[in-house]
């Protein structure tokens, strides 16, 4: 037995050493990065977990700025997880410049050493970091060149669930730099906290972030990392969260804002609270406390105290009176409150698409069966099951329960269809094709077609034409069906739009056609040019509008030579339309 243990330990050590050598070689490749990503951009900010392709979320962005580009090298480093941490720590001061232009703010460049942490589990942060944007510390350069150490900082943050950003955009026109290669204080704080991080500590950290998050995003990001690094851990945590009692946030908000805040006497407040909890259930006591703490947070954010004349200022007093909280009341001191709003639960359910835990899928199935008519929860469960690739037959059964022959669709059943249509399972795809081929309902048709993975077959194209012909002239569904044809049947769209242009006598429909041709497949220049003489008025726009205006607007989006704006006066629009007509007459167009 002892010999077997030695062999196992040897294999583990060998794998770890190989992983660290691989990380070192990947770190050397960071100098080749030339495109901005989350955590190292002067034109946007946000978060991402690189091992999963679709987790990027922008927080702020500069109009006209660069878009995030995923780095394959950074992704491979982050995928190593805790095994990459020693090498990342080692290179935190690596000042080799990467292949990107120096970051500089339009208005100002600041160096604030932002150091993200879970404020619920850690009350103090290292001294000298996370300074205010304008704290008077001005002795810095006006630009910053990103380094290998900066990207190691970003990669470390992704692994340990901290939103570390070496460079980020802050509205308006500000670039905020937090560089461990530039700032000794920041570098020392990072090394001190994360040196020697073990696998067990990493798991504990992520579990703590999930169970005791300082905000909803922290918990979701912990779920992503646990599902990727430690899939055996994530299932019980998710199920425990899903088993929490729920409440209606709107009902709580109405009670607190319209009733509780308007009563001054303690006895009346106490009676109101007791009656409300008796009528709605114990979870609503927790819900009210959560609402009061959120108002405390709002007051802190706008620098107002409990003595202000804002209605929310009563939240401090009510927390002390009704919930025995000790003054001064601070948002950071709020207790764990084991209840979630229906909306929060639905939002989290919709995100449960990364783990492969069967017990989580069973829990989602069970929740749906318990709440099939709940407009937030039921579609969320179906969406998660569809994306997880589980319960295909069950999803098909839900589609079979919908009457797709009805022209008046149920809002809830339409949400069912939207959720299930993301499934790539063959059974669901076959049913979506059948729906798109046979339904006369334009909403059901649109959703079913957009869910199809394979090219759209001719019978569905024929049904699109039939539905379009049946619609009233001013129906909003006209634009929706044209959009479906343009986006999902692009190889037939040019031919169809030409036929549509020649056969329709409706100015309203021709206006919709111009709108739709701004999207998807390449615009048919000749078709649009032929509408520049149509002076008929069309409805449904903020400004007076003609068919020729919509045509000119569509055309101007496709060419750089002539600008057109539908907010202009008719005189100025007509002058631009004349220029567009000249453009249309040139052979080289």
């Amino acid at each position: 037995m002892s010999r077997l243990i030695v062999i196992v330990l040897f294999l583990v050590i060998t794998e770890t050493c190989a992983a660290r050598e691989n990380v070192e070689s990947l770190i050397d490749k960071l100098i080749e990065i030339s495109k901005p990503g989350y955590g190292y951009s002067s034109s946007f900010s946000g978060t991402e977990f690189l091992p999963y392709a679709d987790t990027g979320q922008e927080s702020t962005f500069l109009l006209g700025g660069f878009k995030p580009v995923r780095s394959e090298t950074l992704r491979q480093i982050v995928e190593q997880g805790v095994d990459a941490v020693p090498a990342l720590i080692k290179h935190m001061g690596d000042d080799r410049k990467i292949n990107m232009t120096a970051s500089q703010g339009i208005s100002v460049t600041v160096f604030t050493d932002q150091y993200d942490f879970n404020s619920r589990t850690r009350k103090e942060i290292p001294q000298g970091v996370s300074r205010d944007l304008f704290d008077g510390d001005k002795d810095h350069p006006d630009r910053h060149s990103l380094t290998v150490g900066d990207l190691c900082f970003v990669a470390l943050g992704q692994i340990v669930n901290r939103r570390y950003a070496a460079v980020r955009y802050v509205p308006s026109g500000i670039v905020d730099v937090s560089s461990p290669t530039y700032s000794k204080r920041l570098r020392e704080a990072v090394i001190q906290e994360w040196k020697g991080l073990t696998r067990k500590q990493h798991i504990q950290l992520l579990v703590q972030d999930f169970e005791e998050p300082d905000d909803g995003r922290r918990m979701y990001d912990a779920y992503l990392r646990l599902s990727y690094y430690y899939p055996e851990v994530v299932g019980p945590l998710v199920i425990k969260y899903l088993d929490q009692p729920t409440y209606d946030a709107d009902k709580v908000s109405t009670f607190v804002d319209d009733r509780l805040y308007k009563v001054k006497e303690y006895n009346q407040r106490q009676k109101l609270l007791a009656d409300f909890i008796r009528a709605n259930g114990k979870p609503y006591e927790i819900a009210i406390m959560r609402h009061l703490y959120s108002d405390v947070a709002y007051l802190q954010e706008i620098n107002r105290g409990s003595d202000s004349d804002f209605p929310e200022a009563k939240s401090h007093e009510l927390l002390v009176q009704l919930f025995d909280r000790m003054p001064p009341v601070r948002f950071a001191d709020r207790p764990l409150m084991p209840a979630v709003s229906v909306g929060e639960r639905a939002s989290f359910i919709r995100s449960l698409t990364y783990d492969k835990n069967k017990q989580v899928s069973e829990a989602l199935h069970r929740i749906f069966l318990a709440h099939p008519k709940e407009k937030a929860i039921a579609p969320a469960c179906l969406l998660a099951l569809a994306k997880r690739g589980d319960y295909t037959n069950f999803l098909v059964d839900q589609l079979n329960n919908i009457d797709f022959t009805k022209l008046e669709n149920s809002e809830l059943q339409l949400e069912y269809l939207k959720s299930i249509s993301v499934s790539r399972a063959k059974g669901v795809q076959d049913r979506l094709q059948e729906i798109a081929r046979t339904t006369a309902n334009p909403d059901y048709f649109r959703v079913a077609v957009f869910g199809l993975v394979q090219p759209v077959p001719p019978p569905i194209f024929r049904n699109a034409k039939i539905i379009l012909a049946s619609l009233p002239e001013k129906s909003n569904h006209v634009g929706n069906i044209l959009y479906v044809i343009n986006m999902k049947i692009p190889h037939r769209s040019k031919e169809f739009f030409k036929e549509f242009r020649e056969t329709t006598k409706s100015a309203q429909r021709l206006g919709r056609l111009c709108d739709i041709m701004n999207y998807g497949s390449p615009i048919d220049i000749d078709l649009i040019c032929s509408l520049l003489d149509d002076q008929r008025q069309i409805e449904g726009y903020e400004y007076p509008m003609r068919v020729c205006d919509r045509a000119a607007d569509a055309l101007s989006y496709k060419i750089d030579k002539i600008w057109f704006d539908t907010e202009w006066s008719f005189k100025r629009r007509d002058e631009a339309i004349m220029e567009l007509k000249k453009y249309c007459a040139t052979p080289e167009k």
Side-chain angles (χ1 to χ4, degrees):
M1 177 62 73
S2 60
R3 185 178 178 184
L4 177 60
I5 293 173
V6 169
I7 293 173
V8 170
L9 287 173
F10 173 77
L11 291 174
V12 169
I13 292 169
T14 302
E15 283 185 16
T16 302
C17 291
R20 289 179 179 174
E21 287 178 9
N22 182 45
V23 172
E24 287 284 354
S25 65
L26 288 169
I27 288 173
D28 287 337
K29 292 181 180 179
L30 291 176
I31 60 172
E32 300 170 6
I33 290 179
S34 59
K35 301 291 178 61
Y38 289 106
Y40 54 102
S41 169
S42 58
S43 59
F44 57 84
S45 66
T47 61
E48 182 176 35
F49 184 54
L50 281 165
Y52 292 137
D54 56 351
T55 57
Q57 185 175 46
E58 281 187 335
S59 301
T60 64
F61 61 91
L62 178 66
L63 288 175
F66 294 103
K67 292 298 182 183
V69 177
R70 288 167 51 80
S71 163
E72 180 66 15
T73 303
L74 267 179
R75 180 189 65 78
Q76 292 181 47
I77 292 173
V78 176
E79 283 180 347
Q80 302 292 325
V82 72
D83 291 335
V85 171
L88 294 173
I89 292 292
K90 174 184 170 183
H91 286 271
M92 203 55 57
D94 193 331
D95 61 2
R96 287 178 290 172
K97 291 180 172 59
I98 69 170
N99 189 27
M100 281 178 61
T101 305
S103 300
Q104 182 177 20
I106 296 173
S107 59
V108 66
T109 303
V110 295
F111 291 73
T112 63
D113 294 346
Q114 292 301 308
Y115 194 73
D116 180 51
F117 63 101
N118 184 339
S119 62
R120 188 186 281 279
T121 60
R122 178 175 180 171
K123 301 303 181 185
E124 303 294 334
I125 62 172
Q127 190 173 2
V129 299
S130 293
R131 299 184 301 279
D132 187 80
L133 281 176
F134 304 104
D135 66 350
D137 187 8
K138 305 293 185 184
D139 189 20
H140 299 293
D142 65 352
R143 67 194 66 198
H144 176 72
S145 295
L146 282 159
T147 65
V148 169
D150 293 340
L151 295 187
C152 288
F153 178 56
V154 172
L156 174 65
Q158 291 214 17
I159 292 169
V160 299
N161 196 27
R162 296 295 178 261
R163 300 157 196 157
Y164 293 160
V167 173
R168 64 181 182 127
Y169 173 72
V170 179
S172 291
I174 301 170
V175 165
D176 185 13
V177 178
S178 301
S179 166
T181 56
Y182 176 79
S183 170
K184 183 180 178 182
R185 286 178 295 192
L186 180 60
R187 181 169 66 252
E188 288 178 346
V190 173
I191 293 172
Q192 181 62 34
E193 179 162 11
W194 302 113
K195 66 180 180 182
L197 182 70
T198 65
R199 194 173 303 274
K200 181 179 179 181
Q201 290 171 334
H202 192 212
I203 294 173
Q204 290 173 339
L205 170 81
L206 296 176
V207 169
Q208 197 172 40
D209 282 348
F210 186 93
E211 292 186 325
E212 303 177 48
D214 51 354
D215 59 55
R217 182 73 198 190
R218 182 86 62 194
M219 185 187 77
Y220 171 65
D221 288 343
Y223 160 74
L224 292 178
R225 286 150 181 82
L226 286 166
S227 68
Y228 186 79
Y229 296 131
Y230 310 110
E232 71 282 0
V233 175
V234 74
L237 291 172
V238 169
I239 292 170
K240 181 180 177 182
Y241 176 87
L242 293 176
D243 285 343
Q244 290 183 102
T246 60
Y247 60 87
D248 183 336
D250 289 337
K251 182 184 290 187
V252 171
S253 179
T254 300
F255 171 73
V256 173
D257 297 343
D258 295 347
R259 300 187 65 193
L260 201 56
Y261 278 162
K262 294 182 179 180
V263 173
K264 296 181 179 180
E265 296 296 328
Y266 167 69
N267 290 338
Q268 288 180 293
R269 288 173 170 176
Q270 198 173 42
K271 184 177 186 307
L272 268 179
L273 178 64
D275 290 347
F276 185 77
I277 293 169
R278 191 180 303 111
N280 294 284
K282 192 68 174 174
Y284 278 81
E285 181 176 14
I286 298 172
I288 291 168
M289 186 160 60
R290 289 190 72 193
H291 185 94
L292 293 173
Y293 267 111
S294 70
D295 283 349
V296 169
Y298 168 69
L299 290 170
Q300 289 178 197
E301 186 178 338
I302 62 173
N303 295 316
R304 294 290 189 274
S306 57
D307 57 347
S308 71
D309 55 1
F310 282 69
E312 293 85 357
K314 295 185 177 68
S315 58
H316 294 78
E317 183 181 349
L318 288 166
L319 283 165
V320 173
Q321 282 187 352
L322 302 179
F323 295 96
D324 298 324
R325 309 309 300 168
M326 293 297 294
V329 176
R330 298 188 310 161
F331 182 69
D333 297 331
R334 69 200 184 282
L336 287 173
M337 294 173 275
V340 294
S341 71
V342 171
E344 288 173 315
R345 190 190 202 196
S347 179
F348 183 67
I349 287 173
R350 295 172 76 89
S351 72
L352 293 175
T353 60
Y354 297 99
D355 70 276
K356 303 300 179 184
N357 190 286
K358 292 296 181 184
Q359 284 71 40
V360 172
S361 295
E362 290 168 3
L364 293 172
H365 178 241
R366 185 170 62 252
I367 292 169
F368 174 84
L369 293 178
H371 305 278
K373 303 299 183 184
E374 214 294 319
K375 63 181 181 181
I377 297 295
C381 291
L382 294 176
L383 178 73
L385 289 172
K387 286 188 172 182
R388 295 169 71 88
D390 294 333
Y391 286 84
T392 299
N393 291 337
F394 172 74
L395 295 175
V396 173
D397 287 343
Q398 301 313 305
L399 293 179
N400 290 339
N401 290 334
I402 300 173
D403 184 357
F404 292 105
T405 65
K406 289 185 176 180
L407 292 179
E408 292 294 326
N409 50 268
S410 155
E411 183 179 346
L412 180 62
Q413 290 180 337
L414 183 61
E415 291 302 314
Y416 277 21
L417 178 59
K418 288 178 182 177
S419 295
I420 296 171
S421 68
V422 304
S423 171
R424 299 297 176 256
K426 185 179 184 303
V428 172
Q429 287 289 307
D430 289 346
R431 187 69 179 97
L432 290 175
Q433 280 215 26
E434 183 182 356
I435 294 165
R437 190 173 62 250
T438 59
T439 187
N441 183 303
D443 281 327
Y444 290 149
F445 175 83
R446 171 178 52 84
V447 175
V449 172
F450 271 109
L452 295 176
V453 176
Q454 297 299 323
V456 175
I460 294 177
F461 178 55
R462 288 195 293 271
N463 195 32
K465 296 169 73 173
I466 292 170
I467 293 174
L468 190 59
S470 71
L471 294 172
E473 176 188 345
K474 296 180 181 180
S475 170
N476 289 330
H477 292 305
V478 171
N480 292 337
I481 300 300
L482 292 174
Y483 183 70
V484 169
I485 293 171
N486 200 27
M487 298 298 290
K488 294 295 290 185
I489 321 175
H491 62 287
R492 303 291 296 273
S493 63
K494 184 174 181 178
E495 167 199 343
F496 173 77
F497 288 156
K498 183 178 180 181
E499 178 186 340
F500 183 84
R501 161 72 181 91
E502 292 171 351
T503 57
T504 188
K505 293 180 172 56
S506 166
Q508 202 72 24
R509 290 193 169 202
L510 290 176
R512 292 294 182 197
L513 176 62
C514 294
D515 293 342
I516 295 306
M517 293 191 73
N518 271 326
Y519 309 98
S521 55
I523 191 170
D524 186 336
I525 298 290
D526 289 331
L527 189 154
I528 292 294
C529 287
S530 70
L531 296 172
L532 290 175
D533 288 319
D534 195 329
Q535 298 273 333
R536 287 179 294 169
Q537 297 282 329
I538 51 180
E539 300 174 3
Y541 297 91
E542 183 179 356
Y543 297 91
M545 198 68 59
R546 305 165 299 183
V547 174
C548 58
D549 295 324
R550 301 313 307 156
D553 192 48
L555 194 55
S556 70
Y557 271 102
K558 301 299 179 181
I559 60 176
D560 297 326
K561 300 177 181 179
I562 305 168
W563 180 245
F564 185 89
D565 194 326
T566 55
E567 296 183 16
W568 289 344
S569 67
F570 278 131
K571 180 182 178 182
R572 190 175 177 188
R573 288 191 227 174
D574 288 340
E575 290 171 354
I577 288 173
M578 287 302 297
E579 292 299 314
L580 287 167
K581 287 180 180 180
K582 291 177 184 177
Y583 168 81
C584 289
T586 57
E588 61 270 19
K589 70 178 184 302

